[in-house]
Amino acid sequence: MLEDRIDELKAVIAGNDGHNAADRRFARAVDELMSAVYDDIGAISGIGSRALFDLFLIKVLYVGRRSSDARVLDYLGALLARYLYARELYAPSADGETTPKTLYFSDALAQHEGGGATDRFGAYRRYADTALFLSGVFPPRAPARPRRGRKALQRRPAGIDQGYYVTTGKRMYRLAAHEDAADRTRQRETLLKLAEYFELYVDALNEMSERYILGFDLDLITDKMLDSFNRYRQTGDARALEHARVYASILCLDQGRFPALFPSDADRR
């Protein structure tokens, strides 16, 4: 099971908390798992979303950026699983599409107005989490072309500077970290780390969003397409050809320019 193998990687990270254990062998194991996710293009939905987010974070943050904090990785994995499909983050547009809502500092103040310290801690943390999620997964820039695979989740329209989310998100994490509830939940150090390295986590989530959440790892998809097509040529397995075509459709290849992948009826005879 892929999820069991991902758990094994997480156990290595937890056992080396504070020290990055991503040596060549570890990185190769991560790449093998990334490849396995796309082995059967129809099977990706059979993997739990949390396990996928954990794997993507291990790839872009632990291996790619040499992060060493196991608790931060776990926190971010839970954040993504909690927020990515949360409808309250999105507002419908006139054409029926959905876009991420704009978040303001006043939102955090309103959430704990009239409440106690526990409400204040929760409001600070929720605001910071949402700011990190929006700036990481939906950076305010227009893509060169429409993203494939998640048409309903569009980039946030222009109108708020990303620096606003970075500045206020960092501040909210620091405020949450200095609440007594941060000690009770054993999150003080994690929240301070999120505040200190907020930009690094945004950058990692930007890459993760582009390559794995709102898009695909196109280099990996290309390799998978070629592997499937070569397997079809060697074995005549129709399923391998179908897989190659699915990968080709993700890459938006012109069928007319690749007749070997899309033979006509005359070619079949």
Side-chain angles (χ1 to χ4, degrees):
M1 289 286 293
L2 292 180
E3 293 190 24
D4 292 337
R5 294 169 63 188
I6 294 170
D7 285 340
E8 291 173 2
L9 293 178
K10 291 176 63 178
V12 172
I13 294 171
N16 291 272
D17 191 20
H19 169 72
N20 187 284
D23 56 15
R24 187 173 301 177
R25 180 179 177 182
F26 184 97
R28 184 167 59 250
V30 172
D31 287 340
E32 289 172 354
L33 278 173
M34 293 294 299
S35 179
V37 166
Y38 291 94
D39 275 344
D40 186 339
I41 198 63
I44 189 169
S45 60
I47 305 172
S49 59
R50 174 61 195 271
L52 275 176
F53 296 148
D54 285 339
L55 177 60
F56 297 157
L57 284 167
I58 291 171
K59 172 66 175 177
V60 302
L61 187 57
Y62 195 76
V63 175
R65 289 164 177 80
R66 309 297 296 176
S67 176
S68 61
D69 194 314
R71 287 170 295 182
V72 167
L73 281 166
D74 191 63
Y75 188 99
L76 292 176
L79 184 155
L80 289 168
R82 185 171 70 251
Y83 274 82
L84 190 60
Y85 300 109
R87 291 183 179 273
E88 61 268 21
L89 285 176
Y90 307 103
S93 63
D95 59 3
E97 299 272 321
T98 55
T99 56
K101 293 179 180 178
T102 301
L103 185 69
Y104 296 101
F105 176 72
S106 57
D107 297 336
L109 298 179
Q111 285 181 36
H112 73 77
E113 186 175 1
T118 300
D119 293 332
R120 189 168 58 244
F121 171 74
Y124 291 155
R125 190 180 57 178
R126 283 192 299 273
Y127 181 98
D129 286 349
T130 306
L132 178 57
F133 175 82
L134 290 178
S135 56
V137 177
F138 298 99
R141 62 174 183 269
R145 55 184 177 180
R147 302 304 303 170
R148 296 182 291 273
R150 292 191 182 276
K151 294 177 65 177
L153 301 181
Q154 300 295 325
R155 292 292 186 193
R156 182 174 56 251
I160 188 167
D161 182 65
Q162 175 147 333
Y164 178 86
Y165 283 162
V166 171
T167 300
T168 54
K170 288 163 71 82
R171 182 180 179 188
M172 291 297 102
Y173 274 134
R174 288 196 183 97
L175 288 173
H178 287 95
E179 293 292 324
D180 290 340
D183 278 334
R184 292 197 300 271
T185 58
R186 299 182 179 180
Q187 290 186 328
R188 185 184 297 276
E189 291 184 9
T190 298
L191 295 173
L192 288 173
K193 183 70 70 67
L194 288 165
E196 183 177 2
Y197 298 104
F198 194 95
E199 292 93 338
L200 182 146
Y201 300 130
V202 166
D203 184 65
L205 292 178
N206 285 171
E207 179 184 348
M208 181 175 165
S209 175
E210 287 288 339
R211 296 183 67 181
Y212 308 123
I213 296 178
L214 301 183
F216 294 94
D217 186 333
L218 299 185
D219 291 336
L220 182 56
I221 291 294
T222 300
D223 289 342
K224 291 293 181 184
M225 181 193 72
L226 294 174
D227 289 344
S228 295
F229 183 65
N230 288 333
R231 187 161 58 252
Y232 163 71
R233 294 183 65 180
Q234 294 168 4
T235 66
D237 183 356
R239 190 166 179 265
L241 178 59
E242 184 58 30
H243 279 189
R245 289 174 174 173
V246 171
Y247 294 128
S249 69
I250 294 172
L251 295 169
C252 296
L253 297 185
D254 183 355
Q255 295 187 15
R257 297 184 61 186
F258 295 90
L261 263 178
F262 303 96
S264 64
D265 291 339
D267 293 333
R268 293 177 188 276
R269 293 195 295 269

